[in-house]
Amino acid sequence: MRALYLEFVRFFVSLRLTVGLLALSALLVLFATLDQVHLGIWAVQEKWFRSFIVLHELKGFPVPVFPGGYFIGGLLLINLVAAHLKRFALTWKKAGIQLVHGGLILLLLGELLTGLLQEEYQLRLDEGQTRNYSESWRFNELAVVDDTNATTDIVTAIPEQLLTDLGNELQVPALPFRVVPRAYYPNASLMLKENVPAGRPVVDNPATAGLGARLAITPLPITYQQDQRNLPAALVELFGPEGSLGTYLVSTMLTEPQRFSYAGREWTLALRFRRAYKPYALTLIDFSHDRYAGTEIPKNFSSRVRLTTPDGRDDREVLIYMNNPLRYDGLTFYQAGFDNNDKTTVLQVVHNPSWLIPYISCLLMTLGLLWQFGAHLLGFSRKRAAA
Amino acid sequence: MRRPLSVFLSASLSVLALSGCRREEIQTYTVKKEPAATPVASAPVAPNADAAMRNTAVTTAEGPGLNWTTPAHWKPGPEKAMRKATFLIPGVNGAPGAELAVTAFPGDVGGPLANVNRWRGQLSLPPLAEGDLTAALNHLDVGPLHLDYVELAAAGSPPARRVLGALVPHAGATWFFKLDGPDAVVAQEKPAFLAFLQSLRPAN
């Protein structure tokens, strides 16, 4: 038993493991970069780096082909910390090495935390428009809204992921009916049935209620391009105690929610870009797209926004421009784009509680390297002076 | 040193194993209602929206669409998910040009007053009172269509901007044609815009 334990420890503290893992990391980066040609950056991050095992589809079946980023990074982290715990010695001579390794450990931890905690949303504002939520660029949700009250909405947001589990009854205390996903298309185009040209492939549409009954569904291949997004569609059947209330076709392509009445209340149903509500609101006062005089070459993009909180604690104007984001309430609002003939701004909203970690770790590593090389240089020059 | 090491090793292996399990959950919350819909660009652009969508009335308004004829110098703009069509009108000598955005939404989308005031707001103009709306709107009868258009100019805020906006009720939906751009370009394009409005016809 003890021999096994020693073997276990020896494996995790060995330098050979470090070298092996570093070599695997280099290969991982190489393969992921090559795969980016087909998948785009988001899918590559999920497939190669934010996974334990890289699964590659061969003839429709996922086959494990390489250890993923979490696996390699995780083992590297364990290896580094274990080696330090085993061989740690508090001496000035080794302080530089320890700082460098400490920085590296922090860097790996930071990436793990970023992968787990970071969320990226976007906030689109027309000039004069106020919003207190941002929308996901990559994730969607089925919003079932109790619209009865004149001033407030009771929103039940069902993540898109749950719609892929066909036949699974989703029961939520806030809803007097159950929601059952019947079909799910990760990317699909919709058209009025009467407008479908001959030869356009369509799938069976069992929608019985709402606008969906008039639409034809054409599934599209999933896009991985960075500047494109998938527009999913789903068929959901609603069930009350008395039986089916109808099957609705929902899609992020349909921008107007579908309405119905049930149990004396008014409801809306929509598949929409996932929303993250904030306890404050932003109003776009003005978007500026400055160009160099006489040319179409952009010089600066900036958004003058007004930040307000309902309690009046904050009510101020902020200018957001390139490299000058607004940091507020744990979120960072970057100027990301514009639209609508320069009258709509697109802000990227990033939640990353661990954003400072890479800076701290780089600082630690710099100090460690300076210490280490400085000490060597000092020793060398002393020796030289003595000789 | 041996004990903390073994504790560390087993703890980190368990963390590694657990960190892969994340399940998304259904949430219920109460929010204040959003103010009246702002039709243009109120959702992230979906660049891969099927090209066919541009010519159908599905995404934003039900029912049949409209046909039109554009002047030759109006160039079709990039497809956008919320738009039926976009046309770009170049400025003179590389100066910024104007853009015609075509959108359509079910119902009356708040009515002419709300929409005219929305456009006024975008030009930093004060809202109109209901009594002043009739004077601001110009009425046109184009075939079976009865439409109103409005001309708005914001001279104060450089560069001066001008908007020509038409509201076309058709088959239970409202179509919006908004020509927006530098004051001089839009003013110059007004005859072309009016000719364009005269060319509107129900699609079927």
Side-chain angles (χ1 to χ4, degrees):
Chain A
M1 189 65 196
R2 183 164 165 71
L4 187 71
Y5 167 74
L6 285 177
E7 189 58 35
F8 181 70
V9 170
R10 202 171 297 137
F11 172 75
F12 275 105
V13 301
S14 76
L15 190 62
R16 206 172 284 174
L17 178 66
T18 317
V19 174
L21 289 171
L22 286 177
L24 282 177
S25 313
L27 286 174
L28 182 76
V29 172
L30 174 71
F31 294 148
T33 310
L34 293 176
D35 206 17
Q36 203 174 324
V37 176
H38 312 289
L39 292 187
I41 190 151
W42 295 115
V44 158
Q45 272 188 15
E46 296 298 325
K47 179 179 169 184
W48 290 86
F49 298 108
R50 290 176 181 167
S51 62
F52 284 94
I53 300 288
V54 180
L55 296 171
H56 192 74
E57 269 200 18
L58 284 179
K59 296 190 175 164
F61 290 99
V63 180
V65 288
F66 207 76
Y70 279 165
F71 187 79
I72 297 175
L75 279 183
L76 203 56
L77 185 62
I78 296 172
N79 175 241
L80 265 174
V81 179
H84 263 260
L85 284 177
K86 175 94 176 156
R87 306 196 184 104
F88 185 78
L90 192 64
T91 61
W92 285 116
K93 207 177 159 188
K94 286 197 167 178
I97 297 280
Q98 272 149 9
L99 272 176
V100 171
H101 283 85
L104 193 57
I105 289 167
L106 207 57
L107 195 66
L108 285 167
L109 276 175
E111 169 50 28
L112 179 68
L113 289 176
T114 300
L116 294 177
L117 304 176
Q118 173 166 287
E119 287 178 28
E120 283 192 3
Y121 281 74
Q122 64 165 304
L123 175 60
R124 289 178 66 90
L125 285 172
D126 295 338
E127 286 183 357
Q129 191 182 23
T130 303
R131 269 191 171 172
N132 65 343
Y133 62 86
S134 52
E135 292 171 305
S136 171
W137 173 247
R138 297 167 55 213
F139 301 106
N140 306 291
E141 64 189 11
L142 177 69
V144 188
V145 179
D146 180 346
D147 186 38
T148 318
N149 190 299
T151 52
T152 54
D153 286 336
I154 303 168
V155 182
T156 299
I158 301 171
E160 181 185 5
Q161 195 188 44
L162 298 183
L163 301 180
T164 61
D165 193 1
L166 303 184
N168 179 32
E169 290 199 355
L170 301 167
Q171 196 148 22
V172 188
L175 303 180
F177 44 79
R178 287 161 288 146
V179 180
V180 185
R182 290 293 181 212
Y184 170 77
Y185 305 98
N187 192 16
S189 170
L190 309 180
M191 259 185 129
L192 277 175
K193 280 178 179 166
E194 57 264 33
N195 289 349
V196 175
R200 183 180 162 102
V202 293
V203 291
D204 186 37
N205 173 9
T208 57
L211 174 64
R214 299 178 51 203
L215 300 173
I217 311 165
T218 303
L220 300 173
I222 295 177
T223 175
Y224 295 107
Q225 298 304 310
Q226 229 170 304
D227 56 348
Q228 296 185 350
R229 75 173 293 160
N230 293 301
L231 297 174
L235 283 146
V236 289
E237 189 168 5
L238 308 182
F239 280 97
E242 65 276 37
S244 174
L245 310 177
T247 302
Y248 287 82
L249 170 63
V250 289
S251 162
T252 46
M253 228 175 193
L254 303 173
T255 47
E256 287 293 310
Q258 298 175 66
R259 300 188 157 273
F260 61 94
S261 304
Y262 181 69
R265 305 193 74 79
E266 294 299 314
W267 301 89
T268 67
L269 191 66
L271 190 63
R272 67 185 189 190
F273 306 130
R274 185 190 288 175
R275 289 184 185 181
Y277 280 88
K278 329 266 175 237
Y280 49 90
L282 289 181
T283 308
L284 178 64
I285 300 170
D286 183 42
F287 174 75
S288 297
H289 177 183
D290 308 329
R291 299 168 175 85
Y292 286 99
T295 72
E296 281 296 298
I297 301 167
K299 186 177 170 190
N300 185 35
F301 306 106
S302 62
S303 300
R304 196 151 55 87
V305 296
R306 185 171 162 204
L307 171 74
T308 46
T309 51
D311 59 5
R313 192 168 49 88
D314 261 314
D315 186 351
R316 58 188 165 103
E317 277 188 21
V318 187
L319 188 68
I320 299 170
Y321 53 94
M322 292 296 188
N323 301 324
N324 187 60
L326 160 69
R327 292 188 199 277
Y328 188 75
D329 194 34
L331 295 176
T332 311
F333 296 79
Y334 297 95
Q335 180 67 58
F338 59 94
D339 196 10
N340 191 19
N341 210 13
D342 294 354
K343 278 173 260 333
T344 300
T345 189
V346 183
L347 302 175
Q348 190 184 15
V349 188
V350 179
H351 172 68
N352 184 5
S354 51
W355 69 276
L356 260 178
I357 294 183
Y359 296 96
I360 299 173
S361 59
C362 284
L363 188 72
L364 284 179
M365 286 193 275
T366 310
L367 287 175
L369 287 171
L370 280 175
W371 183 277
Q372 195 62 25
F373 287 116
H376 273 282
L377 188 67
L378 208 66
F380 174 73
S381 57
R382 269 192 197 144
K383 262 189 211 162
R384 209 163 166 187
Chain B
M1 203 47 95
R2 204 165 285 155
R3 182 164 282 274
L5 186 59
S6 56
V7 170
F8 163 74
L9 286 176
S10 19
S12 33
L13 285 176
S14 338
V15 168
L16 262 186
L18 286 174
S19 59
C21 317
R22 268 200 295 172
R23 186 159 175 84
E24 306 201 46
E25 288 184 355
I26 300 176
Q27 290 181 319
T28 299
Y29 49 82
T30 304
V31 291
K32 257 173 76 173
K33 274 196 197 305
E34 263 196 281
T38 45
V40 177
S42 64
V45 181
N48 76 328
D50 192 336
M53 289 305 293
R54 205 175 65 163
N55 300 321
T56 66
V58 178
T59 46
T60 47
E62 300 179 49
L66 291 174
N67 282 343
W68 52 73
T69 310
T70 53
H73 66 287
W74 291 11
K75 303 293 174 217
E79 290 173 16
K80 297 181 180 177
M82 302 285 292
R83 300 260 182 103
K84 299 294 179 196
T86 302
F87 294 98
L88 303 174
I89 298 120
V92 183
N93 296 332
E99 184 187 60
L100 177 80
V102 183
T103 52
F105 297 89
D108 67 356
V109 202
L113 181 67
N115 284 292
V116 169
N117 280 338
R118 182 169 56 78
W119 286 336
R120 291 181 67 87
Q122 289 167 0
L123 291 180
S124 308
L125 295 172
L128 285 182
E130 197 162 2
D132 299 329
L133 180 68
T134 323
L137 288 178
N138 303 283
H139 190 77
L140 287 177
D141 293 312
V142 179
L145 303 170
H146 304 284
L147 57 98
D148 291 301
Y149 77 90
V150 69
E151 186 166 12
L152 307 170
S157 57
R161 271 172 66 194
R162 187 175 287 267
V163 163
L164 280 163
L167 302 107
V168 188
H170 173 55
T174 306
W175 287 66
F176 297 91
F177 298 86
K178 184 182 161 204
L179 178 63
D180 187 357
D183 183 75
V185 181
V186 176
Q188 190 190 316
E189 287 302 317
K190 189 177 173 182
F193 179 75
L194 293 179
F196 167 80
L197 290 183
Q198 291 289 349
S199 77
L200 291 175
R201 293 288 180 273
N204 46 9

